[in-house]
Amino acid sequence: MQTKRPSFQFFAFGTDGTIFLLILTAAAIAVPVLNLAVGAHSPVHVPTWLMSLLGKYLCFALLAVSVDLIWGYCGILSLGHGAFFALGGYAMGMHLMRQIGERGVYGHPVLPDFMVFLNWKQLPWYWYGFDNFAFAVLMVAVVPGLLALVFGWFAFRSRVTGVYLSIITQALTFALMLAFFRNDMGFGGNNGLTDFKDILGFDIQANETRAGLFVSSAVALGVGFLVCRMIIDSRFGKVLIGIRDAESRTRFLGYRVEFYKLFVFVVSAVLAGIAGALYVPQVGIINPSEFAPANSIEIVIWVAVGGRGTLFGAALGAVLVNYLKTYFTGALPEAWLYMLGALFIGVTLFLPKGIVGSITDFPWRRKPKKGDTEQMTTTTVGGTE
Amino acid sequence: MSTIDARTEVLDTLLYLDGVTVSFDGFRALNGLSLYAAAGELRAVIGPNGAGKTTMMDVITGKTKPDAGEVFFNGGIDLRQLDEARIATLGIGRKFQKPTVFENHTVWDNLELALAGHRSVFQSLRFRLSGEQKDRIEATLGTIGLEALRGRQAGSLSHGQKQWLEIGMLLIQDPALLLIDEPVAGMTDSETEQTAVLIKQIAQSHTVIVVEHDMSFVRSLECRVTVLHEGRTIAEGSMQTVQEDPRVIEVYLGR
Ligand SMILES: Nc1ncnc2c1ncn2[C@@H]1O[C@H](COP(=O)(O)OP(=O)(O)OP(=O)(O)O)[C@@H](O)[C@H]1O
Ligand SMILES: [Mg+2]
């Protein structure tokens, strides 16, 4: 009677996952079409600023999915994922800076403006190669991945878990923020990297480029979601949940818990880095405030609101909370932080499984468990007698 | 010198603990504990609360490193040098005092995760269940009597069923040595009887060490009994002999 589906099958992402991917595909097609092909006078026209805003939400959604992978399925509560996002963003920003070339204010062929301003005579070694797009894309994945590998190696091998792990991830992102604020680090200090001109030869302000970036973000989110789904549906994913729920049981069954955590932590960091890399050209700037510890906490709130351990719930939470943020920072700027806090407390108290988790738990969606049937039988028996 | 001695003595002994001492902040949870278990043996370990029974299992499974003493397994394997995962893959399975199963997985998945082999990250990413492995899970479900509950979330099982599932998770790895910490704690009388039958059945083809407080349960196992007290062995033999031992009587009645 046990019909097991093969653990690594494509297109096995369940009804909810399928709906999520369909919505994402529809958005990836409709939004650019409504921007490019529908005239500005039309009521259904999507202005470019809105398309970029939605693109930004998609990047946040991917970031939330990456956090949900480790927190929702492996119990690793990272409060420093903003760091991986920002590093991916900086890698992309460095490429975009080098693309500016002689069009900078100082017209230097190689050095970005801020280096000329600081009287630097030559490019620091770690800026080499970033003029090449493929190299920059590689670094978008490698830099966050490597940091996660080294950090995770020490943390997981020494069995740092729970709140201690959360605290050191906060310390990690805080330390990086301080470092990136320094001018002599060579990343533009507190101004960060900005004034980008083009990407792959396309004007970064052009509608078509913006549409391309939007579609890329949607594709990245879709692929990121599928990668996570495949990991979770494999036996590996079952081990992850085992680690989350009973770490020592998993260890005593012979699994090397630290390697499982390390693998999934690195995958998650790479996804966060990719999200950051797509975010930067759409908002036009990356600066050290992206490393702010509060940002990383906000990501966790998105996941909690949407529904931890559901992946698409995390994506939904990111879009929803960021929409509210956009709305309220415009309408009632002072109130936003209080709202965010209230939202988090409210969700924790009343929807502990988040929006998606609570919907899937609704009685009409729940398959009757043994307890329920028993109860039902008793009621029927009582009713007929 | 002691290694040589140990090796010769260890030959027909599956598990060899000698002079094992474990201190927690100066308090000796184990104080020169020695215990030898022969291959194929069923052994019960009893002793009052805090005697060091669980700590002994922690030492064998690599959770706690002893301050002194020797721990050898299956000839010359020095367990003090190895970590939990390695010891588990060597063939030592452990049931915790508090039943610990994967509550959010089904009974079937719990057993599947416990299947021997496929422990590395990349193996588990590509793993598919073979027909033979399915049969093995089926057989284990039969042994622990949970066939009908295979699809149930382990978290919704009764306390006794969780204990059986956890024993099944050990069994399916076909370990050389099973360490079972308090299997009948919190069980009803009939569950306790079934568990005794189950453990005796397992012991026909495995070496088993059972820790338990329940005397009638231990008696029903009809096996050699080791009595621990304050971190050391104070008596060993049949239940009958042990019960008549004046030191054992003192330890149990003096409390
Ligand atoms: N990690 C630890 N730190 C400090 N003391 C400990 C630790 N683990 C065990 N102890 C102490 O060591 C002693 C032996 O504990 P152990 O759990 O081995 O006893 P036990 O024989 O299993 O008892 P019980 O029958 O209650 O399960 C106890 O006094 C306990 O408080
Ligand atoms: Mg104990």
Side-chain angles (χ1 to χ4, degrees):
Chain A
M1 85 170 242
Q2 180 77 19
T3 45
K4 301 277 303 167
R5 71 169 186 238
S7 40
F8 223 66
Q9 197 182 65
F10 280 86
F11 305 111
F13 27 80
T15 333
D16 305 305
T18 311
I19 295 173
F20 170 73
L21 287 173
L22 286 176
I23 294 175
L24 193 60
T25 312
I29 295 167
V31 171
V33 166
L34 294 178
N35 173 257
L36 298 173
V38 176
H41 49 273
S42 161
V44 292
H45 173 75
V46 173
T48 305
W49 66 264
L50 179 58
M51 183 165 63
S52 283
L53 183 68
L54 294 174
K56 190 175 102 172
Y57 291 170
L58 294 181
C59 296
F60 288 153
L62 178 56
L63 178 57
V65 166
S66 80
V67 168
D68 195 24
L69 175 66
I70 55 169
W71 185 38
Y73 293 92
C74 193
I76 303 171
L77 176 54
S78 166
L79 293 179
H81 249 53
F84 302 120
F85 180 81
L87 287 172
Y90 266 96
M92 179 54 81
M94 286 162 79
H95 171 67
L96 299 176
M97 284 310 268
R98 295 213 51 189
Q99 288 304 99
I100 298 173
E102 289 175 357
R103 290 167 295 174
V105 176
Y106 297 106
H108 194 287
V110 178
L111 292 190
D113 278 348
F114 74 88
M115 291 188 193
V116 182
F117 183 76
L118 290 173
N119 260 324
W120 290 17
K121 295 295 170 234
Q122 53 177 339
L123 202 64
W125 62 268
Y126 47 84
W127 277 75
Y128 289 168
F130 276 94
D131 49 334
N132 181 313
F133 182 73
F135 177 82
V137 168
L138 189 67
M139 288 303 120
V140 161
V142 167
V143 173
L146 206 60
L147 176 66
L149 187 72
V150 173
F151 179 87
W153 170 257
F154 287 109
F156 301 139
R157 210 188 41 158
S158 346
R159 302 194 182 170
V160 181
T161 52
V163 66
Y164 299 100
L165 187 90
S166 304
I167 290 170
I168 58 171
T169 54
Q170 279 266 288
L172 172 77
T173 195
F174 188 64
L176 282 167
M177 179 177 78
L178 297 184
F180 274 73
F181 263 125
R182 292 159 50 102
N183 279 327
D184 53 8
M185 275 286 283
F187 295 109
N190 66 4
N191 296 321
L193 310 175
T194 187
D195 291 331
F196 311 132
K197 302 281 188 246
D198 49 25
I199 181 167
L200 287 172
F202 300 105
D203 177 4
I204 208 155
Q205 304 295 347
N207 291 353
E208 291 78 8
T209 318
R210 293 295 173 133
L213 287 167
F214 177 85
V215 174
S216 310
S217 307
V219 169
L221 174 57
V223 171
F225 172 82
L226 282 179
V227 167
C228 294
R229 197 69 265 169
M230 272 160 53
I231 290 177
I232 287 157
D233 286 343
S234 70
R235 177 192 173 100
F236 181 96
K238 288 179 187 165
V239 178
L240 280 190
I241 293 174
I243 293 172
R244 179 191 73 188
D245 295 343
E247 181 166 334
S248 58
R249 174 77 277 167
T250 321
R251 214 184 282 279
F252 283 103
L253 283 179
Y255 290 99
R256 296 212 176 264
V257 167
E258 56 275 24
F259 293 148
Y260 279 77
K261 288 185 173 176
L262 196 58
F263 178 87
V264 80
F265 194 62
V266 169
V267 169
S268 169
V270 169
L271 291 177
I274 293 169
L278 285 159
Y279 167 83
V280 165
Q282 297 187 80
V283 297
I285 183 168
I286 173 83
N287 63 32
S289 67
E290 294 296 338
F291 285 106
N295 281 20
S296 294
I297 293 174
E298 232 176 275
I299 307 166
V300 169
I301 298 180
W302 307 340
V303 178
V305 168
R308 177 186 167 198
T310 59
L311 289 186
F312 63 97
L316 182 79
V319 173
L320 196 72
V321 176
N322 278 290
Y323 170 74
L324 291 176
K325 181 177 185 171
T326 309
Y327 181 80
F328 281 102
T329 43
L332 284 166
E334 324 72 37
W336 168 244
L337 272 182
Y338 297 102
M339 289 225 20
L340 184 67
L343 189 67
F344 187 53
I345 295 170
V347 164
T348 315
L349 289 180
F350 302 113
L351 296 177
K353 292 175 164 182
I355 295 170
V356 168
S358 307
I359 292 174
T360 34
D361 256 13
F362 246 60
W364 40 268
R365 284 208 47 170
R366 196 172 54 192
K367 294 186 195 106
K369 292 192 192 119
K370 187 170 170 258
D372 301 345
T373 16
E374 266 168 12
Q375 233 172 1
M376 267 153 56
T377 341
T378 345
T379 351
T380 349
V381 171
T384 41
E385 269 172 13
Chain B
M1 60 127 240
S2 57
T3 344
I4 312 270
D5 289 352
R7 274 161 206 261
T8 40
E9 256 182 90
V10 152
L11 278 178
D12 58 338
T13 309
L14 186 67
L15 182 70
Y16 174 99
L17 277 83
D18 195 53
V20 175
T21 298
V22 171
S23 310
F24 297 111
D25 306 319
F27 168 75
R28 294 195 162 183
L30 292 183
N31 190 4
L33 172 75
S34 299
L35 186 138
Y36 320 98
E41 183 180 357
L42 169 60
R43 173 74 63 92
V45 176
I46 62 173
N49 290 109
K53 305 179 297 290
T54 300
T55 308
M56 177 190 81
M57 294 203 169
D58 288 344
V59 167
I60 300 169
T61 53
K63 188 180 175 208
T64 303
K65 298 290 168 211
D67 302 313
E70 295 180 329
V71 188
F72 284 96
F73 175 65
N74 203 6
I77 302 171
D78 186 351
L79 295 179
R80 291 171 307 178
Q81 316 286 342
L82 308 173
D83 71 354
E84 296 101 314
R86 181 81 191 99
I87 292 175
T89 48
L90 273 178
I92 298 184
R94 173 178 188 183
K95 196 200 84 61
F96 293 100
Q97 183 160 350
K98 176 177 169 290
T100 316
V101 294
F102 301 124
E103 308 245 322
N104 284 301
H105 283 312
T106 59
V107 168
W108 178 280
D109 281 348
N110 268 274
L111 292 173
E112 188 186 319
L113 283 174
L115 268 177
H118 328 286
R119 291 292 190 263
S120 87
V121 166
F122 293 99
Q123 280 172 335
S124 70
L125 278 168
R126 284 169 319 192
F127 176 81
R128 273 163 199 256
L129 210 55
S130 72
E132 200 182 310
Q133 288 169 324
K134 278 185 193 157
D135 294 345
R136 193 159 172 76
I137 297 178
E138 291 289 349
T140 309
L141 279 171
T143 312
I144 57 175
L146 296 180
E147 289 118 316
L149 300 176
R150 66 185 67 200
R152 276 272 291 277
Q153 295 262 303
S156 71
L157 297 179
S158 76
H159 179 80
Q161 290 165 336
K162 283 184 193 169
Q163 301 267 31
W164 292 332
L165 176 57
E166 196 176 357
I167 293 173
M169 289 164 74
L170 303 189
L171 201 54
I172 203 168
Q173 302 169 67
D174 201 16
L177 173 65
L178 281 91
L179 304 172
I180 304 182
D181 202 349
E182 303 207 11
V184 300
M187 278 191 178
T188 63
D189 287 349
S190 83
E191 285 174 332
T192 302
E193 279 167 33
Q194 292 178 53
T195 306
V197 173
L198 174 63
I199 288 180
K200 283 206 278 193
Q201 187 191 337
I202 294 171
Q204 286 170 4
S205 47
H206 300 85
T207 310
V208 182
I209 298 181
V210 186
V211 163
E212 191 44 77
H213 280 292
D214 184 327
M215 289 304 162
S216 63
F217 171 78
V218 173
R219 194 170 297 115
S220 70
L221 291 179
E222 299 166 315
C223 67
R224 202 174 162 82
V225 178
T226 301
V227 186
L228 296 195
H229 178 54
E230 292 177 347
R232 60 168 81 222
T233 306
I234 58 165
E236 199 166 280
S238 70
M239 191 68 184
Q240 181 77 26
T241 346
V242 156
Q243 264 179 323
E244 286 161 6
D245 189 302
R247 276 180 305 175
V248 177
I249 296 171
E250 192 198 310
V251 164
Y252 273 94
L253 296 181
R255 291 170 68 90

